[in-house]
Amino acid sequence: MAHFKPPNVAFTQMAGTGVFAELVGGDGEFKYYSDGEWKKSCSGKSVPIINPTTRETQFKVQACTQEEVNKVIDAAKTAQKSWAKTPLWKRAELLHKAAAILKEHRNPIAECLVKEIAKPAKDAVTEVVRSGDLVSYCAEEGVRILGEGKFLVSDSFPGNERTKYCLTSKIPLGVILAIPPFNYPVNLAVSKIGPALIAGNSLVLKPPTQGAVAALHMMHCFHLAGFPKGLISCVTGKGSEIGDFLTMHPGINCISFTGGDTGIAISKKAGMIPLQMELGGKDACIILEDADLDLAAANIVKGGFSYSGQRCTAVKVVLVMDSVADALVEKVKAKVAKLTVGPPEDDCDITPVVTESSANFIEGLVMDAKQKGATFCQEYKRAGNLIWPLLLDNVRPDMRIAWEEPFGPVLPVIRINSVEEGIHHCNASNFGLQGCVFTRDINKAILISDAMETGTVQINSAPARGPDHFPFQGLKDSGIGSQGITNSINMMTKIKTTVINLPTPSYTMG
Ligand code: G3H
């Protein structure tokens, strides 16, 4: 194995200091957030967070108990009642305040992302700024869409006179449980918190272990904005201790989860409550003969390798027409050669993957492809959790990498002889998040988009969730429901109707 020595880059504003000092106990462990206060768990136990680059313990967070979860949910229930009665404009005002505080403190939060999940420094800052913008947009969108309702009259339905007026409005669901993944512990937390709060709900956040400290810092920005006690809280700890307890808790009225196939297990165990789930993808990139190959190659590299492929919307399989495959592979190889590889502090393109077990899993897929005869466009190289970017050509359907999500910097290329073959491969996947097609023929692109069984198809660009107000959804095992700011606000409400019954049809006078 090649030797990899992480450098030690200092950040100007440090995590856990200044306004964030109260998050840290005397023992250096991070506290959890409950009822408007930072607390130590009475378990006396903590969970270590391993820095993916150094592979040493970077932080420790509280291992909360079930009793502490009960308290948090009780407080959320109580706080939600008065929050729902708080004028919509005031809720929006507080969200705008939290967004500004979040953006102001982007550096220490980004520092956590660098150390906990090895996100490249610039991308880490972008995640926090994007999150602030998302929260502000939620406030604005909420004021518009929750300020409107419907008015229906009864005589449009056969047999009715106009004796009933029906008024509809949107009311909150209650307590929302938000579970974001490690790859966007801040952004995919606020994509749940913003819609929940503007719609009048309270929220309990269970952050991923890797990324928990970034999430705690983000939570403190909401605390500093002055949200009522108990309305939002953040419990940390082991999934084995509090995971099922949270998701099956009778006090939870909705679960918004982003992550892996744990979501499928959650959906089987959760009660009769609305679920919003995004569980990954195997996003296919179909390249036609008339495609702009430079554009396609640039998007394949950006889509496949940004954040080392650890995005559910990453390009995860390239399906290229055989006649242009050699040319495309050459272009992609040239771009892969320019990717920088190293520590996130240096803002390298390819950084260590989140855990050693992820790196081992990725390596398993690579070795399977090797054994079955895939063409390696680069030498396979790994040092600790760091895996050098790898393009695998001539991948065939009998290889695991053709179907499984590596969540790492390894990208398979399958050569196809017809568009139908590409669509067939895409649709044979158990995932259906996004896909993309590169062609200069818009008519063909639309036909292919309609044929691909995915929640979104991008024409001439790599898959991506944003901009954050666009609808975002997966078919099949990729998820339940649709996200994006507007859809999430709607999903976190239910319709309430009031019917005014008139003694005579309203049009009888005059
Ligand atoms: O990893 C899942 C995220 O929802 C992907 O978001 O397309 O902005 O990277 P992104």
Side-chain angles (χ1 to χ4, degrees), residues 130 183-184 188 258 278 310-313 407 463-466 472:
R130 173 183 178 182
N183 62 347
Y184 285 98
L188 283 169
T258 308
E278 196 269 277
Q310 296 173 111
R311 297 166 52 240
C312 52
T313 49
F407 237 67
R465 171 167 49 109
F472 180 54

Side-chain angles (χ1 to χ4, degrees), residues 281-420:
K282 183 74 183 170
D283 294 5
C285 177
I286 301 181
I287 314 286
L288 303 199
E289 282 158 329
D290 69 343
D292 176 339
L293 295 185
D294 289 308
L295 179 72
N299 275 276
I300 287 169
V301 172
K302 183 167 176 270
F305 294 102
S306 53
Y307 188 37
S308 307
Q310 296 173 111
R311 297 166 52 240
C312 52
T313 49
V315 171
K316 299 213 178 89
V317 58
V318 177
L319 302 162
V320 57
M321 290 296 285
D322 195 42
S323 57
V324 292
D326 285 345
L328 180 81
V329 167
E330 278 315 306
K331 286 178 191 291
V332 175
K333 265 167 74 175
K335 288 186 187 300
V336 168
K338 289 191 185 142
L339 294 174
T340 55
V341 182
E345 286 87 348
D346 286 358
D347 207 35
C348 289
D349 299 312
I350 304 295
T351 55
V353 297
V354 70
T355 59
E356 191 173 340
S357 63
S358 302
N360 292 343
F361 175 76
I362 297 162
E363 187 164 291
L365 295 179
V366 171
M367 292 309 142
D368 174 76
K370 186 175 186 179
Q371 199 200 335
K372 292 174 182 160
T375 306
F376 280 52
C377 297
Q378 297 81 19
E379 183 197 349
Y380 173 66
K381 253 172 99 181
R382 172 182 172 186
N385 293 5
L386 186 65
I387 293 178
W388 271 251
L390 180 62
L391 189 70
L392 296 174
D393 196 2
N394 295 304
V395 164
R396 290 190 321 265
D398 63 324
M399 299 176 190
R400 286 175 58 204
I401 191 82
W403 306 105
E404 296 181 40
E405 224 189 340
F407 237 67
V410 178
L411 183 58
V413 176
I414 298 181
R415 293 167 178 240
I416 54 173
N417 290 304
S418 67
V419 175
E420 287 72 21

Side-chain angles (χ1 to χ4, degrees), residues 18-23 31-39 94-95 97-102 105 109 135 190 193 197 205 215-234:
V19 292
F20 297 109
E22 61 180 297
L23 277 63
K31 300 177 185 172
Y32 76 105
Y33 186 60
S34 162
D35 213 13
E37 287 173 23
W38 291 97
K39 297 180 181 168
L94 271 178
L95 282 171
K97 202 169 164 193
I101 297 171
L102 195 58
H105 296 99
I109 302 175
V135 172
V190 300
I193 296 172
L197 294 184
L205 178 71
L216 292 170
H217 281 70
M218 173 274 298
M219 189 53 76
H220 194 55
C221 296
F222 283 80
H223 171 82
L224 293 172
F227 282 89
K229 278 183 176 213
L231 187 72
I232 43 174
S233 50
C234 183

Side-chain angles (χ1 to χ4, degrees), residues 16-96:
T17 65
V19 292
F20 297 109
E22 61 180 297
L23 277 63
V24 193
D27 51 7
E29 290 176 5
F30 279 83
K31 300 177 185 172
Y32 76 105
Y33 186 60
S34 162
D35 213 13
E37 287 173 23
W38 291 97
K39 297 180 181 168
K40 292 275 293 175
S41 169
C42 59
S43 72
K45 291 185 196 148
S46 63
V47 179
I49 296 172
I50 311 297
N51 181 323
T53 311
T54 63
R55 296 196 290 159
E56 282 165 12
T57 299
Q58 182 72 51
F59 301 120
K60 284 182 181 169
V61 293
Q62 302 301 300
C64 291
T65 64
Q66 296 184 351
E67 192 45 45
E68 284 159 347
V69 167
N70 278 335
K71 282 193 185 144
V72 152
I73 294 175
D74 279 352
K77 215 171 193 157
T78 308
Q80 192 267 329
K81 298 268 180 269
S82 39
W83 181 244
K85 293 177 187 159
T86 304
L88 191 47
W89 68 266
K90 275 197 185 175
R91 288 187 231 154
E93 205 171 72
L94 271 178
L95 282 171
H96 279 302

